[in-house]
Each structure stands twice: as C-alpha cells, then as structure tokens.
C-alpha cells in the first residue's frame, strides 16, 4: 500500500477511487504522447540513414607512407602565427559541416566532382572546354591551392600541367614531395577564365563552396596557398603575398602557408629564393604538426 493511501485510511478517509488496470495506458493524453514519441523515433532513423548515405566514399587504395620532412637539414625560419577570420567551424566528420546552430551535409567526393562538372553558376561555363576539379591523393596531408586552370589545364582537365605546373613539380620534388602521392592540388576556380585573365570576384564567389568542400574532404594537415587569388580568397584579406608569406596562418583551423604562384615565379626569378624559403617553412611546420598528432 502506498504511503498516501495508508495516511488516508488512517485518517478515516475510506477507500479511494482506483484506476482500472491499463486505464493510464489508454488515456488520450498518454496515447498522444506515445504517438509523438514514435514519430520522433522514425524521424531520427530517417535522419541517420540520410547522413550515412552522404558519407564520402574513401578512395580504395591506401596511401603509401609519407616520408616526414627532414627538418634537421632545413635552415631555421622565423615564424609568426596569424589567424584568419573563421567563416565556419571545423568538422569532425568530413561529410558534415558543423555550425553552432545547424549541421550541413556536404556531397560525397564523387558527387562533388559531378556537381563541378555540371556547374553553370557563372559565365565561365560558356567558354570552358571542361572543368578542372583537382589532382593528386585526396587523402594527402598536404593540399596545394592555385588560382584557375589555364589553357593547358582547360584542354587536359588537370591542374598545373603547363609551364607553371612543371616548376611546381620541380619545387615539390626538391622538397621531397611526390605530386601524385603526397599532395592534393586544386584551384580557386574550376574553369578557365578566357585569355587567362584574372578571376572576377563573382566567379570566385560562385566557385568558393566547391573549394571549401574539397578542403573539408581532404582535411589536410597543411595548406600551401599559391599566389594572390588563393591566399586572399582563403584568408579573406586584401593583403599582398609579400606581407602574408613567412607566417603561419589558419584557414578554418587548418594551418596555411602563403607563397608566390609558380607562374609569377617564372616571370620573377629573384623571388624563387623566397618561394623556396616558404617551402622550407612549410616543411618545418608540417613536421611540427605531424609530431603533435
Ligand atoms: N595556374 C593555376 O593557378 N592553376 C592551374 O591549374 C594552372 C595554372
């Protein structure tokens, strides 16, 4: 007997009304509560299924071991760390962008590539031969970001295959990095601006979430931003490379080093030494970051 019933009996208040067995389960309020609970469970299951169908397909070939930079051979470089404005927080799951209020799903890698191939967001779709998505190992720890496809890239559908690409390959090789194994290379724009003119602000804007989604998938340890357009787009600044190089920046929590564009270096040979210093700094930072994980 419950305590309250005992007290009531002791006070002479007599037998009280008692619910029939199952009465509470059949009460309209209880039925409504159960129905709401069931709906919530179905919605939760549907959401889980949608999210798992958006998981990126991981490339099937495992990445060969990347040789860590031989930092002992590298000359010391002074480093300042700056932090760029963060427009979206880091994602733990590469398929999900987490913002304080909402979770935004991003397409799988294959779907993203397809979206880029079909893109008609700006006028460049009328003049391109094809889109240039990127190249390299999508699981690489280094991500290199250039400006836009040129004539050769537009024809071949791959970034950095012209003269600037050859210089970039040489720089990577000198730094002990294999272009197909150790890095993933993408551009700010996925289509060639006619006559290799500079990217227009509206073209950068139209294309920027493709690059953001690529970075989310690759989740590199370090980004090497090549040239003004890549650096200024990622860091949301108008400062020059000359001012931004030589420091460690952050793009949405990912360490970023700014350096000159290889095409610029082809025209400005004296700055090649500075670009090499930037590469040395990048390798030092990569080694440091790799040790801290
Ligand atoms: N310049 C770039 O920035 N990207 C390319 O893919 C080729 C040249």
């Amino acid at each position: 007997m419950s305590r309250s019933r005992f007290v009531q009996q002791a006070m002479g208040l007599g037998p009280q009304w008692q619910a029939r067995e199952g009465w509470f389960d059949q009460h309209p309020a209880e039925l409504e509560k159960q129905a709401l609970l069931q709906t919530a469970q179905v919605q939760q299951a549907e959401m889980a299924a949608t999210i798992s169908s958006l998981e990126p397909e991981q490339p099937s070939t495992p990445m060969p071991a990347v040789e860590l930079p031989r930092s002992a051979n590298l000359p010391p470089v002074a480093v300042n760390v700056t932090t760029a404005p963060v427009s979206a927080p880091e994602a733990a799951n590469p398929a999900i962008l987490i913002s304080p209020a909402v979770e935004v799903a991003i397409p799988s890698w294959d779907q993203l590539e397809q979206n880029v191939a079909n893109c008609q967001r700006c006028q460049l779709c009328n003049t391109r031969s094809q889109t240039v998505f990127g190249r390299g190992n999508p699981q690489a720890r280094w991500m290199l970001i250039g400006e836009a496809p040129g004539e050769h890239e537009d024809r071949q559908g791959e970034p950095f295959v012209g003269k600037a690409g050859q210089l970039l390959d040489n720089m990577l090789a000198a730094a002990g990095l294999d272009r197909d194994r150790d890095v993933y290379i993408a551009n700010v724009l996925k289509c060639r601006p006619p006559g290799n003119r500079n990217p227009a602000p509206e073209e950068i804007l139209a294309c920027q979430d493709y690059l953001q989604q690529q970075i989310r998938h690759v989740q590199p340890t370090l980004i090497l931003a090549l040239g003004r357009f890549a650096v200024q787009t990622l860091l949301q600044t108008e400062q020059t490379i000359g001012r931004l190089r030589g420091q460690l920046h952050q793009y949405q929590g990912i360490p970023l080093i700014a350096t000159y564009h290889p095409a610029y270096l082809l025209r400005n040979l004296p700055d090649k030494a500075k670009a090499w210093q930037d590469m040395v700094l990048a390798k030092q930072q990569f080694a440091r970051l790799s040790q801290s994980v």
Side-chain angles (χ1 to χ4, degrees), residues 115-126 128 191 206 210:
N115 292 350
V116 168
N118 297 334
C119 182
Q120 300 198 331
R121 289 182 182 175
C122 78
Q123 61 200 354
L124 296 183
C125 68
N126 299 318
R128 72 185 179 215
C191 299
Y210 293 139

Side-chain angles (χ1 to χ4, degrees), residues 79-85 235 243-244 247-251 255-256:
V79 180
N80 303 316
V81 179
T82 65
T83 306
L235 298 183
R243 293 197 68 118
L244 294 166
Q247 309 165 41
L248 189 64
H249 303 272
Q250 303 269 329
Y251 168 77
L256 180 151

Side-chain angles (χ1 to χ4, degrees), residues 123-275:
Q123 61 200 354
L124 296 183
C125 68
N126 299 318
T127 47
R128 72 185 179 215
S129 306
Q130 57 190 312
T131 55
V132 177
F133 185 66
R135 171 178 176 170
N137 180 356
Q139 292 184 311
R141 304 318 322 141
W142 290 74
M143 190 156 177
L144 271 54
I145 298 172
E147 179 180 317
E151 186 187 353
H152 299 281
E153 291 77 20
D154 176 68
R155 209 177 306 134
Q156 295 187 39
E158 287 199 3
F160 285 103
V161 289
K163 278 213 171 99
Q166 283 161 19
L167 176 58
L168 181 62
D169 283 351
N170 292 344
M171 290 176 70
L172 288 174
L177 295 170
D178 182 276
R179 161 182 173 139
D180 293 317
R181 184 193 62 192
D182 299 331
V183 302
Y184 189 79
I185 305 176
N187 283 312
V188 171
L189 294 192
K190 310 303 181 205
C191 299
R192 178 192 181 203
N196 295 353
R197 64 160 168 75
N198 286 340
E202 65 274 15
E203 293 159 359
I204 294 177
L205 204 63
C207 225
Q208 75 178 9
D209 72 323
Y210 293 139
L211 179 60
Q212 188 184 44
Q213 289 167 6
Q214 283 179 302
I215 297 172
R216 292 274 165 192
H217 274 289
V218 176
Q219 293 199 320
T221 301
L222 187 74
I223 293 174
L224 191 58
L226 308 169
R228 174 161 77 93
F229 286 96
V231 173
Q232 293 183 343
T233 300
L234 292 170
L235 298 183
Q236 294 288 292
T237 178
E238 293 191 350
Q239 289 194 11
T240 61
I241 300 281
R243 293 197 68 118
L244 294 166
R245 57 175 293 278
Q247 309 165 41
L248 189 64
H249 303 272
Q250 303 269 329
Y251 168 77
Q252 296 186 1
I254 302 171
L256 180 151
I257 300 270
T259 191
Y260 295 105
H261 192 283
Y264 165 87
L265 294 175
L266 289 172
R267 301 187 304 267
N268 298 275
L269 294 183
D271 279 340
K272 267 191 181 175
K274 292 188 195 160

